[in-house]
Structures are given as structure tokens and as C-alpha cells.
Amino acid sequence: MAAAAELKLLEKSLGLSKGNKYSAQGERQIPVLQTNNGPSLTGLLTIATHLVKQANKEHFLGSTAEEKAMIQQWLEYRVTRVDGHSNKENAHTLLKDLNSYLEDKVDLTGYNLTLADILLYYGLHRFIVDLTVQEKEKYLNVSRWFCHIQHYPGIRQHLSSVVFIKNRLYANSH
Amino acid sequence: MRLFVSEGAPGSLPVLVAAGRVEGRAELLISTVAPEECVVPFLTQPRLPVLQLDSGNYLFSTSAICRYFFLLSGWEPDDLTNQWLEWEATELQPALSAALHYLVIQGKKGEDVLGPLGRALTHIDHSLSRQNCPFLAGETESLADIVLWGALYPLLQDPAYLPEELGALRSWFQTLSTQEPCQRAAETVLKKQGVLALRPYLQKQPQPSPPEGRAVSNEPEEEELAVLSEEEIAAAVTAWEKGLEILPPPRPQQNPVLPVAGERNVLITSALPYVNNVPHLGNIIGCVLSADVFARYSRLRQWNTLYLCGTDEYGTATETKAMEEGLTPQEICDKYHVIHADIYHWFNISFDIFGRTTTPQQTKITQDIFQRLLTRGFILQDTVEQLRCERCARFLADRFVEGVCPFCGYEEARGDQCDKCGKLINAIELKKPQCKVCRSCPVVKSSQHLFLDLPKLEKRLEEWLGKTLPGNNWTPNARFIIRSWLRDGLKPRCITRDLKWGTPVPLEGFEDKVFYVWFDATIGYLSITANYTDQWERWWKNPEQVDLYQFMAKDNVPFHGLVFPCSALGAEDNYTLVKYLIATEYLNYEDGKFSKSRGVGVFGDMAQDTGIPADIWRFYLLYIRPEGQDSAFSWTDMLLKNNSELLNNLGNFINRAGMFVSKFFGGSVPEMLLTPDDQRLLAHITLELQHYHQLLEKVRIRDALRAILTVSRHGNQYIQVNEPWKRIKGSEADRQRAGTVTGVAVNIAALLSVMLQPYMPTVSATIQAQLQLPLPACSVLPTDFLCTLPAGHQIGTVSPLFQKLENDQIENLKQRFGGGQAKISPSLAVVETVTTAGPQQIQTLMEEVTKQGNIVRELKAQKADKNQVAAEVAQLLDLKKQLALAEGKPLETPKGKKKK
């Protein structure tokens, strides 16, 4: 997904009515937002964080120092690890790590939906739609989290809804 | 909190500087660990430094740790800092780790090291000088400065790597480097050894990949027209001009089809559908239809092709079904074999043979393979604990026993699997087991069984796989499944059962037993061929001359890719083994839950009653073929694809091309004088045709269908741009142009009719009849686009090919088949009918519904959080659905009739 398209999705899920215009910079097509009252902002996370503040939804950025740092860490993870790795092997290491991280989590940083959940969901979507039923079962915690986020009102929008099967098919199968 | 650092980890630099901020505010312990230590339990790769917080959470990102320290000291984040940190993570770090790797690990120097970093350093320099501030985010030093300084310090502390010309960068860097906290951190980490101090850490890190050029995207690639060379265009024109001449004569039909030396001999099997029930759409696309497309394609290539399938008839499911319907197993098989055959006939499946497994040949071949395995020492005997019904005086195999599921407590779990939780069960683990026949409680007794010694055959199997798999002729899921079985290690596999309905075991002491279907079902392909021709061994014991293609859903991969090859290799009788193993993923039905036994969906015989022609079903199922990933059948999507792809694209093009010939040229194909634009079009069509061939040779059936639609899109565009309907009324030159465009278009339509043949045989034949396409052109698909309808060729009567599907028609069908509530289990060989649940389960569900209803009411009364209410409501609806299903009621009308 192009970054500009992703930011459009985010705007909608934040309930921002007036859409911003984004330009893209360089060969990696990094998004740039020209703000009214200041310098332009560059980069998906920077703009996304700015949009959250614009929508007065600062709780999406965490309230305690710990939450704030955790959220930024997962945002960074999203743009470095998730976006950086296009090949399948890497994607599987990534899913494996996330799966084990999410074992005892509802949302990425605990019990509240944050910007990190939303952007990680957008970033992972292209991998998750391609998973087989068996892989979805293997990354059970990722699947559960992903399913949880995609059912959050207003987040998924036009992205395809990924089907997860509730009963296990492969456990003890051989 | 505890900070973990390691010798030589560059991230320690900024972290130690930032840690100065919390001195006196929080207790910070610092531990030094080895560079390869995995401190964070959930990360596969070691990452250091790591901060373990008092809550137990981990921060493993250097800039997140620094940010945390800054936040604790009361700092507030701002956009500019965020932007610098994002840039540091996405742009600077990849370049920097490459540079450090070259310098420290590979010992490179100078420009080799600085090269990847040049742009990043310039960016910092320009930003600093443009802002005219001493620091990155303003007048005072802040988080961004610390993080970037820390990242760059190991390299830039060597004056050789601090470029002279970047003045602003130099002064910023030097200002920071002279500060007390920075100096202290630098000494701790680099120990006055310079950048080489990072070596212990960097050499444990994977080699950084070169910074990526382009961001990846999951948007579909825009269809771009390929750039054609002059040679390609010339070749396309030459082939076009040769026309019908270069086509070989049609292959004479043979009976029986036998391999011919020196030809390509293609043997195609489709997984044998289990006889005891009606196949559904998932079974149909999973094997028979997929294999049919390939068989038809193979015949169009003039390959010597034999396509066989049949019903798999032995086993417990048949015996149980027979008991249910009050028939003998043989009667059940006879009854359902005909049902299967009729359905596949309706779907136009072009089997050369559609046989069955309950034949004397099956017994003969199975027993022969078994005897050979036995004499070669690949059969083991062992005792198995099994349930035995004393009253019926027999061991209760799999489905002859029911009881309470040991995992979820479901009351009516079967002996092999629980329908509620889906787990596989060992029958003796069932609680309160009951004999399905007489309802008495069985006892555990031991019974002797035979096992195929797979571990002993593993070496031969690996050797064979080593030759077969590298050809990339198996679908990736099949390779993956086989590899994971091998990785887990093969175990001896039980091949006998205490049943009557099966192939008898020819061994003393085993007279009461039969072979388990897993051992003998795959032998069915051989026996079905043997019933077709007494020369069956020319197909099945001829690996040098025969290419065996086997189609199945992925759950069948272990038997075709592993168990049968092991039997065949162990039997040492030169069997033909699978060369192309084509496995599909699962097809879901609408967006309901996947349910094996309570499945509602479209079954083969019902498809006929919808009024939608078989070819439309074929088209849509192939369009959504679960190739490489799961897919879902959706009524609305079917309507959409029919109306957009078939009606508006394909049908519209072919019909227009034909109509122009009839209306403007009296049904006679006009003269064609090709312009350079036309020639380029020929080359584009040729390219797409070759793409189609490449895809089908790799059995990528769904993708090849897209190629057909692309050809027709090219055609539509060609007509649209050239407007023959206008030109026909114009000058002589215009009329000639109209003739050329019409002639080329109708030839594209003729090509499409042949490309379409594997997918929609009836539609293909209709087009060919309308265009009066000469016979040789109908039965062969060459790799070039030929002019098969030359000027002067008389076409027949043209009429529309497809009908629009209407919304209300689809809505009705959706209601009828329970779209949205249920899914079909596509690839499971066994499909259960919908059974209604016991009264006890219904009682439990009713209680749960009441309970959940109260929870929802309470929440609503308390004006609880919307999301929470929504979640509980969803759960309530789900329970109601389960209850309706359990009571056997249709979901729309609470007082409806019972489902069968």
C-alpha cells in the first residue's frame, strides 16, 4: 500500500473529515505533508502521529511514558521490520516474533488500541491475506490480534476482510 | 528497570547518554551480556541494548529507550523530533549498518565505506545549515541529537570519515562530542579502540542487506503494455500469415489411450472423491475441475493424454452411511457412484475413465503391492488398543463409536474426530464411549495390526524427492507439507482396520481385517486404469515415458507425495511416480464459519437446479481457484464476474466481432491490410498467448484464465479505438480499414474460442460453431497467433453468448443456499450431512443464549462502552446461530422446516 493511501485510511479511521493532500518523495515514495502553519512533515510515522494530534486522539499515542515509548517502538518496528522485508522467509521470522510477543496481549501495547495497532495492521495486511489456513493457525496470536483489529469499527475500510477459522484444523494432525 | 548492554553494541552510546537524564529519578541497573544473548524472549534475533521495565515490558529499540529516558525527565515529543527519529530508523540506520559492516568486518576503507552514507550525511548537513540552528530540533540539544550523534559517533570520531565540506555537520558533531555525558559514554563503549571496538558485536549480526531501492507495495501492478522489439513484431506477422497451413492434423481418437514412445505421454489423476456423499463446489474445483482444465489443455497441445478418476468406496464412512440409509455398503456405493458420475457429467468433466475402487482389480493390485512390501520386510506387526463391542462381537473402528470429547466435552464426538472442537481423537480416549450400532458400552481390547514401515523407506523416499522436487513441479504447499512431515520424522503407519468393507488382508491371522483406505485408496488409480485396459502397466510401470500429474486439495498431499510413493518404492516394481503434484488451498463459502460437518453450501447436484449454466460455474470456480492461497465463493462476486468479465468483456468482444462480419460484410470475413498498429496488436496477442501457455504448463490455471481475459480486453480496445461501425459508412479507405479491423477482431475471437476450450468447453464450441472455425483450428492450440479465418471465410449465425445475472436472482440463490451463514468444506474427502444436535446440547445452548442476552441487556442499561456492547452482541448472535443450527432450523425464519 502506498504510504499516501495508508494515511488516507488513517485519516478516515481517526474521523478526520477534511482530507490532506500528500506528495511523495524519492524512490521509496516517502509521504510528505505540507501543513498550513509550519514546515512540511516527512515520513509515515511523523505524519501519522501529527494526524492523531490533529484529531485530538492523543490517547492513541499512550498516556504514560512507558506507553508512549512502547508505541513508538512498535511504530518503528512497523516501518523498519515490516516494510523493510518483502521476502517470505523474513516475513515468517517477523510473524513468529510477533506471535510470541502477542501471546499475552490484547492490543499491541496492552489493553488499549493505539496508533501502533492501526499502522501495524495496515502494514501486515498484505502478508496476512496471503497466509494459508495452516499458517494462520501457526501464528495464532497474530491471527487473533489481527482479527480483533480488523473488526474495530472504521479501521479496515476497503481493505479485504481476512477470514480466520475458529476451530483448529492442524493440531495433532500428524 | 534494568538496562542490558553488550560489548561493542553501537546502540549503547545514545542509550548511556540519555540514561544520564534519569539519574536520581529512577533506579537503573546496568547488566553487560554477550552480544549473542537473546534478552528479549519473543525476538528470534538478539537485539541489544534492551531496557527491561519494571512492568516486565521490554524496549528493544535504541531510540525508544532514549525516548523513554527523555519522557521520564519531563520532555514532550514534537513533530520535528519524530521526523528525525523516523528518518534515523528508516534511512540512516540501513546505510550506516552497511557502512560499519564494510569497515569493521570486511576491512574496507574510504569511499567504499562512506559511499552508502553520503546522501544521509549531506541531508543532516543541509538541514542544519538551512535551519540555522545549532541542533537538529532547535536551539537546545534534544533527543534527536543524542540518537543521531550516538549512531554516527563510532564512524565519525575518525576524522577521516568526517567530510571536510560538510561544515554544519562537523560543528554539530564536534559540539556534541565534547559534552561530558557523551564523552563518558564514548569511552565506555569504544574503550579508546575506535570503531574496532564494535567488532565483537557486529560480527554476530547478520550481514545487512543493501538499502532497498523501492518500497514494496501490495497494490496490483498496473497492466502495462510490454515493449515489443521489431523482431517480435515481425515474427508475429510471419506466423499470422502462415495461417491454417502450419497446423498439424487433429489427433485420431484412440481407445484405449496408451503411451506412445517418443511422444509426450501425460497421465492425469484427480483425487478420488469419497463415495458416501454428494460432492460440493469445493471438491469440484479442488480436483476434478482443475484436472479437467489441464487434461483439455494437454489434448489441445496434442499431448497423448489419459485423464482418470473414480469414486473411493471402501471404508467406515460407507459402512456407517449404509447403516443410516438401511442399505448394504455395496448398494450405497452403487447409488452414490451414479450421483457422482452424473454431477461430473453435468460439469462437463472430460474423464477418459471414471471408475471405482470396489473391483477385483483393486484387490489384486493392492494385495500384490502388499505382498511385495511384506517379502521385502517393509511391513511391521504391532498391537493396538482398541474399543470392542462385546455385544456386536467386533472392534469398533473410527466412526462406529461415539462418546464425549475428551477435549471440549462435546457429547457426540466420533471415534476419530470431534465435530465441535475439530480435534483428532484416539477412540480409546473418548469418555463414555458407545457402540454406534447397539449403543452398549465397548471395552478396551488389544488387536493385532499391520504397519507400513515408513522409517525404513525414508531414505529411498528422500532420494526420490531429491530428484523430483528440484524441478519445481510441485505446488509450494505440497513441497511444504512433505518437508514438514520429513522434518518431524516418519513413523510406522497403520494400514489395517477391523472392518469388513474393504480390501481383504491376505495374511494369516488377519482374515477379519481389511486394508485401511489410506493404504489402498491411492492404489485405486492403478486399478481403475486396469479396468479400462489390460495394458494398464504401460501407464503405471513406465516412469521413463509417462509424466504423471496428480491433482488434489492440500489435505491429500501426504498420501500422494509420501505414503503411496513409499509403498511403490518399497514394492520395487518400477512404478510411475507423481512428477507434478498440484495441490489447491481451501475454498470457503461466503463469509461464514468454516465447518466440516454442519456445512451448508452449494453441492454439485444443486448447482444444476440454479438455472446457471455449467460453463458459468466452471468459469467462476476457476476464476477464484484457491491457487496459492485460500479463496472464498461469494454469490455477489459471481454475479459481478459474470456481468463484468463474461458479459461485458469477453462476450461483448466476441459478439461484436462476429456481428460486424455478418452485418457489414454479409458474413464473409473481409480482406485485411495490416497497418503497423495492427502488427503491434498481433505481437501483443502473441505475447499474451505465450504467457497463457507458460502458465498452463506450470498448471497455474487461475492465472492463465486472466490471460484469456486480457486478450479479449485488447480486442475490445482495438475495436473501440478503430470504430469500424463508423468507418463502414465512410470513404473507400475507411471502409477498407473497417474491413481490416473486423477481420483481425474476428480472428482474435477465434483464438479466444480455443484458449477458452479448457475452461468453458460449451461456450467454446458455441463460438466455434458461430464462426464456423475450421476443424484443425478447433482441436490444436499453437504457440503463435494464426489467421485461422482468412478473407472470404463464411461465418455462421452470431448470437449472444452470456446472460446477465440479476440481483434478485442471486439474492434468492443466496437465501436458498444459506450464504453468509455457512461454508462448505471444500477439500475434505468426506462430507457429512447436516445433523441435528442432541436435546442436551440444545438445552445447553438455550441456557447460554439466555445468559448472554442478560449480559447484553445489563451492559446496555449501564450505557457501557460501545465496543464492549458490540462484542457481547456479536457473541449473542453467534450463540443464537449455533442454537438454530443445532435445532436444525433455517436461520432466517425461526419457525422454519427442518433441514435434511
Side-chain angles (χ1 to χ4, degrees):
Chain A
M1 176 159 33
E6 182 171 353
L7 288 166
K8 286 279 167 206
L9 283 172
L10 180 66
E11 282 179 358
K12 272 204 180 160
S13 57
L14 291 171
L16 283 170
S17 53
K18 121 185 138 52
N20 291 302
K21 276 219 165 61
Y22 303 98
S23 47
Q25 189 187 70
E27 50 189 12
R28 292 206 308 120
Q29 295 286 295
I30 300 157
V32 179
L33 170 67
Q34 186 58 56
T35 52
N36 294 332
N37 43 7
S40 61
L41 295 175
T42 307
L44 179 72
L45 303 185
T46 309
I47 300 175
T49 311
H50 177 80
L51 292 177
V52 169
K53 284 187 274 186
Q54 204 182 343
N56 290 321
K57 299 211 165 150
E58 268 91 350
H59 57 273
F60 276 167
L61 301 171
S63 45
T64 64
E66 177 171 341
E67 277 171 16
K68 287 176 183 167
M70 294 274 286
I71 289 164
Q72 290 302 323
Q73 157 164 295
W74 287 107
L75 288 173
E76 181 191 310
Y77 186 85
R78 151 66 215 269
V79 290
T80 54
R81 308 277 303 155
V82 180
D83 293 355
H85 293 108
S86 44
N87 79 48
K88 274 224 148 147
E89 293 305 311
N90 282 328
H92 284 289
T93 317
L94 181 97
L95 289 171
K96 185 171 157 265
D97 287 1
L98 268 177
N99 194 55
S100 105
Y101 173 71
L102 286 167
E103 195 172 354
D104 57 352
K105 306 278 187 303
V106 176
D107 296 296
L108 208 52
T109 52
Y111 298 99
N112 292 305
L113 180 84
T114 69
L115 183 62
D117 291 292
I118 302 177
L119 293 197
L120 191 65
Y121 163 76
Y122 289 151
L124 282 176
H125 189 273
R126 68 190 169 108
F127 294 111
I128 305 289
V129 286
D130 277 351
L131 293 186
T132 63
V133 173
Q134 185 169 23
E135 287 165 334
K136 286 180 202 164
E137 193 170 301
K138 183 169 163 200
Y139 307 119
L140 195 65
N141 302 315
V142 175
S143 294
R144 172 180 46 71
W145 166 84
F146 191 89
C147 194
H148 166 64
I149 304 298
Q150 79 173 355
H151 283 106
Y152 242 96
I155 291 181
R156 178 171 68 83
Q157 300 171 42
H158 72 263
L159 296 180
S160 57
S161 165
V162 179
V163 176
F164 295 94
I165 290 163
K166 285 192 184 143
N167 49 350
R168 302 194 68 163
L169 294 177
Y170 293 89
N172 317 324
S173 62
H174 48 262
Chain B
M1 55 193 161
R2 182 184 287 271
L3 180 67
F4 294 87
V5 293
S6 103
E7 199 186 345
S12 311
L13 268 167
V15 164
L16 289 176
V17 176
R21 291 241 163 189
V22 291
E23 257 168 52
R25 292 171 198 265
E27 195 187 348
L28 177 69
L29 301 167
I30 299 182
S31 311
T32 306
V33 295
E36 64 271 25
E37 188 106 349
C38 286
V39 178
V40 186
F42 52 84
L43 292 182
T44 313
Q45 294 275 347
R47 292 239 345 215
L48 285 164
V50 164
L51 183 67
Q52 187 181 19
L53 302 170
D54 296 336
S55 62
N57 280 324
Y58 292 94
L59 291 176
F60 53 82
S61 139
T62 299
S63 59
I65 300 173
C66 295
R67 182 187 287 263
Y68 180 62
F69 290 147
F70 267 73
L71 285 164
L72 284 183
S73 70
W75 168 85
E76 295 276 345
D78 57 277
D79 285 343
L80 193 52
T81 304
N82 287 341
Q83 180 169 302
W84 274 115
L85 293 187
E86 182 174 1
W87 179 83
E88 192 265 346
T90 55
E91 303 284 323
L92 179 62
Q93 278 300 343
L96 191 60
S97 37
L100 286 175
H101 187 83
Y102 293 145
L103 179 66
V104 178
I105 306 297
Q106 300 187 350
K108 291 187 180 165
K109 297 236 149 42
E111 200 42 39
D112 285 345
V113 174
L114 267 185
L117 261 182
R119 229 170 43 177
L121 295 182
T122 314
H123 173 74
I124 303 177
D125 183 69
H126 285 188
S127 306
L128 285 166
S129 52
R130 208 173 38 229
Q131 279 169 209
N132 210 7
C133 286
F135 296 102
L136 293 172
E139 291 299 329
T140 51
E141 159 210 328
S142 176
L143 176 60
D145 301 291
I146 301 301
V147 171
L148 268 81
W149 171 86
L152 290 166
Y153 183 81
L155 190 68
L156 298 193
Q157 48 80 31
D158 182 344
Y161 291 105
L162 188 56
E164 287 286 338
E165 65 277 15
L166 304 180
L169 173 71
R170 279 177 75 97
S171 84
W172 166 81
F173 181 75
Q174 281 161 352
T175 309
L176 287 165
S177 302
T178 50
Q179 293 188 357
E180 161 74 20
C182 293
Q183 277 190 343
R184 244 188 304 147
E187 264 172 46
T188 317
V189 178
L190 296 187
K191 300 174 186 150
K192 302 215 161 105
Q193 296 167 15
V195 71
L196 289 178
L198 303 185
R199 203 182 159 85
Y201 181 83
L202 291 181
Q203 64 189 2
K204 301 281 180 192
Q205 294 290 306
Q207 182 174 353
S209 51
E212 275 190 57
R214 212 163 66 111
V216 281
S217 126
N218 67 348
E219 299 291 303
E221 296 283 318
E222 276 291 302
E223 249 179 62
E224 269 179 50
L225 282 183
V227 184
L228 296 163
S229 68
E230 290 302 318
E231 291 77 32
E232 282 172 311
I233 297 175
V237 174
T238 315
W240 160 271
E241 281 167 354
K242 283 195 182 130
L244 286 169
E245 291 162 36
I246 58 165
L247 286 178
R251 258 186 99 87
Q253 279 282 334
Q254 283 173 317
N255 196 14
V257 185
L258 291 172
V260 180
E263 284 195 29
R264 176 134 202 241
N265 299 300
V266 177
L267 177 57
I268 301 169
T269 72
S270 154
L272 305 180
Y274 203 73
V275 77
N276 81 337
N277 223 323
V278 180
H280 48 65
L281 295 183
N283 299 135
I284 291 165
I285 182 62
C287 38
V288 286
L289 180 53
S290 297
D292 183 56
V293 173
F294 188 73
R296 286 171 179 276
Y297 172 74
S298 169
R299 294 184 193 115
L300 278 180
R301 291 299 295 272
Q302 304 263 299
W303 296 333
N304 188 31
T305 307
L306 183 73
Y307 175 24
L308 67 98
C309 185
T311 41
D312 174 13
E313 308 195 340
Y314 284 133
T316 41
T318 306
E319 279 191 57
T320 332
K321 186 81 178 179
M323 248 182 310
E324 264 170 40
E325 298 199 10
L327 297 169
T328 65
Q330 186 63 56
E331 284 167 337
I332 280 287
C333 292
D334 294 347
K335 175 181 161 191
Y336 280 96
H337 175 78
V338 175
I339 294 179
H340 275 267
D342 284 348
I343 288 170
Y344 303 136
H345 179 72
W346 187 79
F347 274 99
N348 237 317
I349 307 294
S350 62
F351 299 126
D352 292 294
I353 328 163
F354 185 71
R356 43 202 304 191
T357 54
T358 50
T359 64
Q361 287 288 0
Q362 175 77 6
T363 310
K364 197 175 140 199
I365 299 171
T366 306
Q367 292 188 346
D368 173 57
I369 292 179
F370 168 75
Q371 290 290 6
R372 296 183 76 100
L373 287 167
L374 186 70
T375 24
R376 285 164 181 76
F378 295 119
I379 300 291
L380 301 170
Q381 262 195 48
D382 203 357
T383 315
V384 177
E385 301 270 280
Q386 263 190 303
L387 294 174
R388 184 181 161 87
C389 176
E390 297 294 357
R391 196 189 296 174
C392 301
R394 66 164 166 187
F395 285 100
L396 301 177
D398 307 330
R399 290 165 191 234
F400 277 109
V401 56
E402 278 181 0
V404 177
C405 172
F407 303 105
C408 72
Y410 178 58
E411 301 269 338
E412 289 170 50
R414 296 190 314 249
D416 55 349
Q417 198 175 20
C418 169
D419 280 345
K420 188 150 182 230
C421 65
K423 287 197 174 132
L424 295 179
I425 297 171
N426 189 350
I428 54 169
E429 291 166 2
L430 276 181
K431 291 179 200 158
K432 297 189 208 151
Q434 277 189 339
C435 168
K436 211 177 164 183
V437 181
C438 68
R439 293 284 153 199
S440 59
C441 180
V443 291
V444 177
K445 280 268 169 79
S446 57
S447 165
Q448 280 288 313
H449 278 286
L450 297 172
F451 289 76
L452 181 61
D453 193 351
L454 291 177
K456 209 165 161 183
L457 288 158
E458 189 165 344
K459 226 181 126 198
R460 294 184 195 204
L461 180 78
E462 297 218 35
E463 201 176 296
W464 168 70
L465 286 173
K467 280 183 284 181
T468 309
L469 288 185
N472 266 344
N473 298 327
W474 290 25
T475 50
N477 54 356
R479 289 201 296 266
F480 175 80
I481 291 168
I482 295 301
R483 266 203 297 264
S484 66
W485 272 58
L486 287 173
R487 193 193 49 223
D488 297 349
L490 298 181
K491 293 163 198 75
R493 192 151 199 106
C494 185
I495 56 165
T496 49
R497 278 290 184 273
D498 292 290
L499 282 175
K500 290 189 181 63
W501 190 241
T503 306
V505 179
L507 190 68
E508 219 186 293
F510 287 85
E511 291 84 357
D512 291 347
K513 299 176 204 282
V514 297
F515 285 113
Y516 190 27
V517 283
W518 287 10
F519 178 68
D520 84 333
T522 40
I523 298 173
Y525 301 123
L526 283 59
S527 74
I528 288 169
T529 317
N531 282 308
Y532 166 75
T533 167
D534 52 8
Q535 301 180 68
W536 65 276
E537 290 173 330
R538 286 177 61 190
W539 283 109
W540 285 101
K541 295 187 183 175
N542 192 358
E544 291 79 23
Q545 289 183 3
V546 174
D547 284 344
L548 174 57
Y549 286 76
Q550 299 202 291
F551 287 78
M552 67 205 72
K554 66 176 174 190
D555 54 345
N556 266 319
V557 169
F559 314 116
H560 291 78
L562 201 142
V563 179
F564 180 70
C566 278
S567 308
L569 290 166
E572 295 174 0
D573 208 4
N574 194 33
Y575 280 106
T576 306
L577 293 177
V578 58
K579 189 162 172 189
Y580 298 81
L581 202 160
I582 314 297
T584 50
E585 300 286 321
Y586 294 124
L587 180 75
N588 299 319
Y589 182 75
E590 295 284 352
D591 48 0
K593 246 195 286 182
F594 183 98
S595 155
K596 181 179 162 197
S597 61
R598 306 192 186 290
V600 188
V602 183
F603 288 77
D605 50 348
M606 303 172 183
Q608 308 182 27
D609 307 332
T610 56
I612 298 171
D615 267 13
I616 306 297
W617 282 105
R618 287 178 64 114
F619 168 80
Y620 182 63
L621 289 173
L622 291 161
Y623 192 92
I624 56 165
R625 181 172 186 259
E627 199 167 293
Q629 67 185 73
D630 292 352
S631 64
F633 174 91
S634 145
W635 285 104
T636 323
D637 188 46
M638 179 164 168
L639 170 136
L640 210 70
K641 293 294 165 347
N642 178 75
N643 295 353
S644 63
E645 292 293 2
L646 288 182
L647 198 67
N648 288 342
N649 176 11
L650 190 70
N652 180 44
F653 169 68
I654 293 174
N655 190 245
R656 279 212 287 181
M659 283 310 283
F660 291 157
V661 178
S662 325
K663 253 169 69 186
F664 303 148
F665 302 96
S668 168
V669 176
E671 282 295 333
M672 291 160 267
L673 294 169
L674 301 182
T675 64
D677 275 350
D678 299 337
Q679 296 180 341
R680 205 165 302 121
L681 175 74
L682 297 188
H684 277 304
I685 303 277
T686 307
L687 214 63
E688 205 55 51
L689 173 63
Q690 283 162 357
H691 187 49
Y692 167 93
H693 279 299
Q694 283 164 5
L695 290 168
L696 277 181
E697 278 166 20
K698 290 188 196 137
V699 206
R700 282 171 57 190
I701 294 171
R702 194 186 61 186
D703 293 343
L705 180 54
R706 305 287 199 275
I708 299 179
L709 297 170
T710 306
V711 169
S712 134
R713 257 187 283 276
H714 280 312
N716 267 322
Q717 211 176 11
Y718 177 64
I719 293 185
Q720 213 54 42
V721 168
N722 288 293
E723 305 183 312
W725 64 92
K726 276 190 192 161
R727 289 181 194 262
I728 194 72
K729 297 178 198 141
S731 66
E732 181 56 32
D734 272 344
R735 280 209 299 282
Q736 195 178 58
R737 182 70 193 136
T740 303
V741 173
T742 304
V744 171
V746 81
N747 269 289
I748 298 177
L751 172 72
L752 280 169
S753 78
V754 189
M755 290 172 81
L756 208 52
Q757 205 270 346
Y759 294 84
M760 304 177 84
T762 313
V763 169
S764 161
T766 311
I767 303 170
Q768 292 173 351
Q770 289 183 5
L771 300 180
Q772 296 282 304
L773 186 65
L775 197 62
C778 297
S779 49
V780 183
L781 186 60
T783 47
D784 289 312
F785 175 29
L786 311 179
C787 176
T788 50
L789 300 175
H793 172 91
Q794 198 67 34
I795 67 163
T797 315
V798 176
S799 59
L801 298 166
F802 302 111
Q803 278 196 328
K804 193 173 177 191
L805 287 178
E806 300 294 344
N807 261 324
D808 49 352
Q809 183 188 357
I810 287 296
E811 276 310 313
N812 283 340
L813 291 169
K814 214 175 182 175
Q815 298 258 314
R816 201 165 119 202
F817 294 104
Q821 279 100 30
K823 272 181 201 168
I824 44 179
S825 60
S827 46
L828 294 151
V830 185
V831 183
E832 306 286 313
T833 44
V834 180
T835 46
T836 49
Q840 236 178 326
Q841 201 208 351
I842 293 177
Q843 186 60 39
T844 325
L845 275 169
M846 279 166 100
E847 281 165 18
E848 276 176 24
V849 167
T850 319
K851 213 169 85 189
Q852 187 67 21
N854 288 334
I855 294 177
V856 170
R857 269 188 291 280
E858 262 176 47
L859 280 173
K860 283 189 176 163
Q862 294 165 5
K863 298 204 166 34
D865 177 52
K866 246 201 314 204
N867 293 328
Q868 197 187 350
V869 177
E872 297 295 341
V873 169
Q875 209 179 330
L876 175 63
L877 289 177
D878 191 52
L879 281 169
K880 282 187 174 168
K881 221 185 264 181
Q882 283 182 31
L883 176 62
L885 271 173
E887 292 178 321
K889 286 177 187 166
L891 295 161
E892 297 80 23
T893 48
K895 285 183 183 170
K897 278 180 284 178
K898 281 220 163 194
K899 278 187 191 166
K900 73 161 187 188

